[in-house]
């Protein structure tokens, strides 16, 4: 039980950013304590005091975590409980209440404190300028626009780089496999994924047999992907190219 509690502490520290500075977490916890001591309205106490406190108690309770993991069969999502803490609401309300009659000033001070204690998110290496209104890679959008049917659905095989984006843009494009294959710890096996991504060079005969088992109307490969024999020798035709991605159309399925 003690080990489970310590794991929860680590998750909490990582979520709150204690490895960087933890100032925002400090503001939140201070305001939560302040509201415990000063808030008298029972409805506001329920929202700003009781709810987040109960959630914190549950989060650090080893028994609750064991039940959570047992029911959902997934310990990796446990941190998402902390999304319910209402950090911004509790912090802002606590500061405004602390300032009493000077609530406008309190709100401004709170906003400045949050900004000063946080980090500029757009400096993150994981954030880049959006290429379009969909906030998706333009290559993924262009590929779907090129092959999407006017009505109905088709199955398309794409490189792992595009899996996250194709289905976000269009539900008319079905994929042989999805995100489950990209999470290594889940340890899923899929013959099509093995042939497409894991093999050093694509065994064309076996690969084509797998694609037609779905069937995949189109196959998208990176132009530098090694293939033992050209797909065009097996009834495919180069339908187009978008950036580094070459789109092959299976003529045996679409004729």
């Amino acid at each position: 039980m003690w080990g489970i509690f310590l794991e929860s502490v680590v998750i909490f520290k990582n979520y709150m950013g204690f490895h960087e500075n933890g100032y925002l977490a400090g503001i939140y916890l201070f305001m939560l304590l302040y509201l415990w001591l000063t808030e008298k309205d029972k409805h506001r106490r329920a929202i700003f005091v009781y709810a987040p406190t109960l959630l914190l108690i549950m989060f650090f309770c080893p028994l609750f975590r064991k039940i959570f993991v047992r029911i959902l069969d997934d310990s990796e999502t446990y941190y998402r409980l902390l999304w319910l803490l209402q950090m911004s609401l509790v912090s802002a309300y606590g500061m405004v209440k602390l300032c009493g009659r000077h609530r406008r000033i309190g709100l401004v001070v709170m906003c400045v404190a949050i900004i000063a204690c946080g980090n500029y998110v757009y400096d993150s290496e994981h954030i880049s300028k959006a290429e379009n209104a969909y906030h998706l890679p333009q290559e993924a959008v262009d590929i779907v626009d090129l092959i999407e049917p006017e009505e109905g659905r088709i199955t398309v095989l794409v490189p792992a780089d595009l899996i996250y984006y194709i289905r976000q843009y269009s539900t008319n494009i079905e994929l042989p496999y999805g995100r489950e294959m990209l999470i290594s710890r889940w340890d899923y096996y899929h013959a099509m994924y093995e042939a497409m991504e894991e093999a050093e060079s694509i065994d064309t005969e076996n690969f084509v047999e797998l694609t037609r088992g779905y069937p995949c109307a189109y196959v998208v490969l990176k132009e530098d992907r090694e293939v033992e024999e050209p797909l065009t020798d097996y009834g495919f035709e180069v339908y187009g190219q978008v950036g580094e991605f070459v789109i092959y159309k299976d003529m045996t399925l679409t004729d």
Side-chain angles (χ1 to χ4, degrees), residues 195-196 199-204 207 221 225-229:
M196 178 71 166
E200 182 176 342
S201 178
I202 290 179
D203 179 353
T204 310
F207 181 77
L221 298 178
R225 184 67 170 101
E226 292 188 18
V227 182
E228 292 183 1
E229 300 174 77

Side-chain angles (χ1 to χ4, degrees), residues 152-186:
R153 296 182 176 183
I154 57 172
T155 301
V156 179
L157 179 63
V158 301
D161 299 11
L162 299 174
I163 286 178
Y164 284 110
Y165 310 116
I166 296 293
R167 290 285 286 171
Q168 290 183 57
Y169 182 60
S170 173
T171 57
N172 293 328
I173 305 294
E174 297 184 351
L175 305 175
Y177 46 80
R179 175 175 174 268
E180 73 279 359
M181 298 307 305
L182 306 182
I183 310 299
S184 58
R185 66 176 179 274
W186 290 355

